[in-house]
Amino acid sequence: MDVATWLRDIGLGQYEKAFRDNDISGEVLAHLRAEDLTGLGVTSVGHRRKLLDAIASLALVSRSAPIGASASLKTALPLSAPTEAERRQLTVMFVDLVGSTELSRQLDPEELRAVMRRYRSAVTDEVDRFGGHVAKFLGDGILAYFGWPKAQEDAAERAVKAALRIVAAAGGIKTQEVPHLRARVGIATGLVVIGSLGEGEAEHPDEIVGETPNLAARLQQAAGPDRVVISETTRHLVGGIFDLEDLGRQPIKGIGPSVALWRVHGIGRSESRFEGLHGTILTPFVGRGREIDLLLERWGRVRRTMGQVVLLTGEPGIGKSRLVRFFGDRVRGDRLQAIHFDASPYYANSALRPVISEIRRSAEFANIDPDETQFRKLELLLGRALADTTGAIPVIADLLGVRTGEQHSLRDLTPQQRKAITFAALLNWVEGLATRHPLLMVIEDAQWLDPTTLELVDRINDRIAQLPVLLLVTFRPEFKPTWSGAHVDWIVLERLDPIEAAAVAEAVAGKRLPQEVLNEIVAHTDGVPLFIEELTKAMRDLNVLVDAGDHFDLLGSLPAVTVPVTLQDALMARLDSLPPSARHAAQVGAVIGREFDR
């Protein structure tokens, strides 16, 4: 397929060079998503939607017409969208515009149409921003999926973040008759079957069957204006990432007499995503003795003013964040400073977002703080590191979006000049912290760092050898760091052996487990700590274990092992990342089982 010709055919030939420079072939084109297009420089929301629609059209015509033939689709579906119905876990969002009937009486039909277009566009933009899929427009209601057509390991978290932004975005839409629009959102997570239920023109590949969409719609009805309400399963998946209010168990028509409801007030104040998901009380740490010894030895060098970098890599769920947390607890008794940059896939194209988030958290900014309060808090924070803050204050305040009277001098600078003085201020802040006490600087999930933050880390690495700083960077194997030098070490986390895996399972259970249960857990988790923890919790909740003092006894036979809800999205995301042939092989393997004869 000639991608350049295809782009010209759909009227977007201006992106030919960007696609060519990034090696976007016809095969790669099929798998592009909204965030990929943003990375290619497609900043226009309208152009992204047009491209996604055109890519979706390829999926519909590829089996019967030449690639590039046109077709229309109301919503954007990647080419990888399944053509057959499949069973999978999905997070479903239902958005409703409050007071739409009254609005239709107040506004002229043309004005109402303009308002509805703005409302739909705002919802669609936020769903797209977090990798969701708008499935249907139902009058003033909007149905969206997270975790389809491509699974996401954090689908529930994405949905809740999108919902909070949708409520805020709706509130920003005003008319002369209406001060602002008000939306309400319901979110539920569960197993569904997704696929077409119709024929011919009525065929829609994104129709879902199951209780989950009904529950999401009912939760939306139970939510008040400007509120987001989520189900118990969704709450379980997002952990402590958000500030939640338990609304108790309420009767929900068509669902049940007692359904747990949770209201989302906003983002929580966890130090990191790991802490938000797992809380502050963790299971006992098992294994990784050599890795901890290496980190402690490097920390000893740091205390002798010999800066060190440790690159910690491993597959998802292997325990990178848990190792960082355990090491932090081990050195907490030392007098030290700490900085935590937490990268996120949502902000991989937002310059210095991890840095901004860390400074706002460390300065204890609150959303309701006026600029004067934020300015004073920033002064206090920088004053702990710098003897003279006059040069750094206006620069970092400008980075954080805090208005001051000293920023007028920055307005005439070029982007390159602003970046240079921002980097200088941030590097001085880091060095100032290190001169007070040894500094532990953690960068989590470096595979999602934006280019500007990566460049800043390069600068830090260049200076670190002569500073009492330990830079500890975690990342997945697909990320290829360029940092090197005598002060740089690698730790590659491998899977746990069966003895260590059994020890983790019993640590999670809190007591000795029957050997039959241990064997099942070890056999099905392949030494991945996250899988071991979640499967052990699922086993514990099956009500087949009885407390016998210092151990558990098994009641009857052990039921068949099923995938815990907390692992469904992560495992499906891995499957969806495979090419079709490998995915088919995995499906066949799932039927055959792990052991079979010729």
Side-chain angles (χ1 to χ4, degrees):
M1 174 186 178
D2 186 344
V3 174
T5 301
W6 177 79
L7 285 168
R8 290 194 294 272
D9 287 345
I10 63 174
L12 296 175
Q14 66 265 44
Y15 298 112
E16 287 181 33
K17 186 176 185 301
F19 276 56
R20 183 173 59 253
D21 291 347
N22 287 274
D23 302 314
I24 305 300
S25 63
E27 182 181 358
V28 174
L29 179 69
H31 301 283
L32 291 183
R33 305 188 64 215
E35 56 263 37
D36 300 320
L37 295 176
T38 302
L40 288 167
V42 186
T43 56
S44 164
V45 173
H47 286 180
R48 286 202 300 272
R49 296 297 305 178
K50 189 173 183 179
L51 281 163
L52 289 169
D53 281 348
I55 292 170
S57 298
L58 299 180
L60 297 180
V61 302
S62 60
R63 286 183 289 176
S64 59
I67 293 294
S70 62
S72 62
L73 198 67
K74 292 182 179 178
T75 55
L77 294 177
L79 182 62
S80 57
T83 57
E84 297 180 357
E86 66 173 323
R87 177 187 180 94
R88 67 195 295 156
Q89 181 167 288
L90 206 63
T91 294
V92 179
M93 171 195 290
F94 205 102
V95 186
D96 179 63
L97 181 62
V98 178
S100 59
T101 303
E102 180 66 22
L103 198 65
S104 66
R105 287 198 294 264
Q106 292 177 303
L107 299 179
D108 178 84
E110 290 190 4
E111 294 175 327
L112 178 63
R113 180 177 183 273
V115 169
M116 291 300 295
R117 284 175 62 88
R118 290 179 62 191
Y119 159 69
R120 287 187 174 186
S121 177
V123 174
T124 300
D125 287 350
E126 297 305 337
V127 171
D128 281 350
R129 183 193 305 273
F130 290 94
H133 164 64
V134 174
K136 291 180 182 177
F137 294 112
L138 305 166
D140 58 358
I142 299 175
L143 179 67
Y145 308 151
F146 290 79
W148 191 90
K150 189 172 183 180
Q152 299 144 331
E153 62 188 76
D154 53 354
E157 179 185 344
R158 289 170 180 264
V160 177
K161 286 184 174 179
L164 291 172
R165 291 183 64 101
I166 285 169
V167 169
I173 300 175
K174 304 175 182 179
T175 70
Q176 290 183 346
E177 292 80 5
V178 181
H180 61 270
L181 298 187
R182 309 186 76 180
R184 56 187 181 185
V185 185
I187 298 174
T189 304
L191 287 174
V192 303
V193 172
I194 186 164
S196 175
L197 290 172
E199 298 289 342
E201 293 184 358
E203 185 175 4
H204 297 285
D206 57 351
E207 294 183 285
I208 56 176
V209 175
E211 184 184 61
T212 305
N214 298 328
L215 178 56
R218 295 298 186 186
L219 293 179
Q220 168 268 130
Q221 293 172 354
D226 302 327
R227 293 188 176 185
V228 178
V229 173
I230 64 176
S231 70
E232 173 69 14
T233 302
T234 307
R235 184 213 66 81
H236 185 56
L237 291 173
V238 300
I241 294 175
F242 300 95
D243 179 13
L244 303 175
E245 176 188 353
D246 185 356
L247 300 179
R249 305 189 70 87
Q250 302 180 22
I252 300 295
K253 183 180 178 181
I255 303 297
S258 179
V259 178
L261 277 65
W262 296 79
R263 179 186 172 190
V264 185
H265 286 279
I267 303 295
R269 297 188 61 83
S270 301
E271 181 174 333
S272 66
R273 184 172 181 271
F274 176 81
E275 184 181 287
L277 287 172
H278 299 277
T280 56
I281 301 176
L282 303 175
T283 56
F285 193 72
V286 175
R288 310 301 191 196
R290 288 174 297 178
E291 292 84 354
I292 286 294
D293 288 344
L294 186 146
L295 287 171
L296 290 173
E297 193 277 331
R298 296 301 183 266
W299 181 247
R301 295 187 187 185
V302 167
R303 297 183 66 184
R304 299 193 298 273
T305 320
M306 299 167 61
Q308 302 290 303
V309 177
V310 177
L311 307 177
L312 177 60
T313 183
E315 63 183 302
I318 202 67
K320 300 182 294 295
S321 297
R322 183 69 177 92
L323 178 61
V324 170
R325 176 67 179 273
F326 182 77
F327 170 70
D329 291 342
R330 285 288 299 268
V331 299
R332 197 174 300 278
D334 296 348
R335 297 187 66 188
L336 59 83
Q337 305 274 1
I339 297 177
H340 197 113
F341 294 161
D342 205 9
S344 165
Y346 321 125
Y347 304 113
N349 296 302
S350 299
L352 297 175
R353 181 60 181 252
V355 180
I356 294 169
S357 297
E358 169 62 14
I359 295 175
R360 293 181 67 89
R361 186 193 64 79
S362 297
E364 299 182 353
F365 280 12
N367 292 331
I368 61 173
D369 285 345
D371 286 329
E372 296 79 7
T373 302
Q374 292 187 348
F375 182 78
R376 287 196 299 271
K377 289 182 176 181
L378 184 59
E379 277 188 316
L380 288 173
L381 178 72
L382 296 181
R384 299 181 197 130
L386 302 172
D388 182 5
T389 63
T390 54
I393 284 283
V395 176
I396 296 183
D398 181 63
L399 175 67
L400 302 182
V402 178
R403 292 188 295 272
T404 74
E406 305 175 56
Q407 293 168 319
H408 61 277
S409 60
L410 304 175
R411 296 171 188 163
D412 298 329
L413 298 179
T414 66
Q416 292 77 14
Q417 290 171 327
R418 290 177 77 122
K419 185 171 80 169
I421 63 173
T422 301
F423 273 20
L426 292 172
L427 289 169
N428 288 338
W429 173 55
V430 170
E431 291 184 9
L433 287 172
T435 58
R436 305 295 176 95
H437 298 290
L439 175 64
L440 173 60
M441 187 173 181
V442 176
I443 299 177
E444 291 252 31
D445 290 316
Q447 73 274 1
W448 293 321
L449 285 178
D450 62 275
T452 309
T453 304
L454 270 174
E455 186 178 345
L456 176 65
V457 177
D458 287 342
R459 303 283 185 88
I460 293 172
N461 178 64
D462 292 341
R463 298 195 190 189
I464 210 170
Q466 307 304 319
L467 294 171
V469 177
L470 174 59
L471 176 60
L472 181 53
V473 186
T474 75
F475 54 92
R476 295 181 180 181
E478 61 265 25
F479 179 70
K480 308 299 180 186
T482 58
W483 308 303
S484 60
H487 62 295
V488 179
D489 284 285
W490 282 69
I491 293 178
V492 179
L493 285 187
E494 304 292 348
R495 299 186 177 194
L496 301 177
D497 63 36
I499 295 176
E500 292 172 328
V504 170
E506 293 199 319
V508 172
K511 297 182 180 184
R512 285 191 295 111
L513 291 169
Q515 192 60 47
E516 183 180 352
V517 174
L518 275 179
N519 292 343
E520 284 288 304
I521 293 171
V522 171
H524 283 85
T525 54
D526 289 330
V528 179
L530 176 63
F531 296 176
I532 298 167
E533 289 190 14
E534 295 304 326
L535 189 55
T536 302
K537 292 174 185 176
M539 289 280 199
R540 189 182 58 196
D541 295 339
L542 285 175
N543 296 322
V544 296
L545 298 175
V546 59
D547 192 337
D550 63 343
H551 68 283
F552 284 112
D553 283 335
L554 181 62
L555 288 176
S557 60
L558 193 64
V561 174
T562 58
V563 179
V565 64
T566 48
L567 297 180
Q568 289 269 359
D569 289 338
L571 293 174
M572 202 68 204
R574 293 194 188 188
L575 280 175
D576 280 357
S577 67
L578 298 173
S581 58
R583 180 185 171 94
H584 178 68
Q587 290 173 324
V588 172
V591 176
I592 296 173
R594 291 182 173 227
E595 296 181 5
F596 49 90
D597 58 30
R598 288 184 62 182

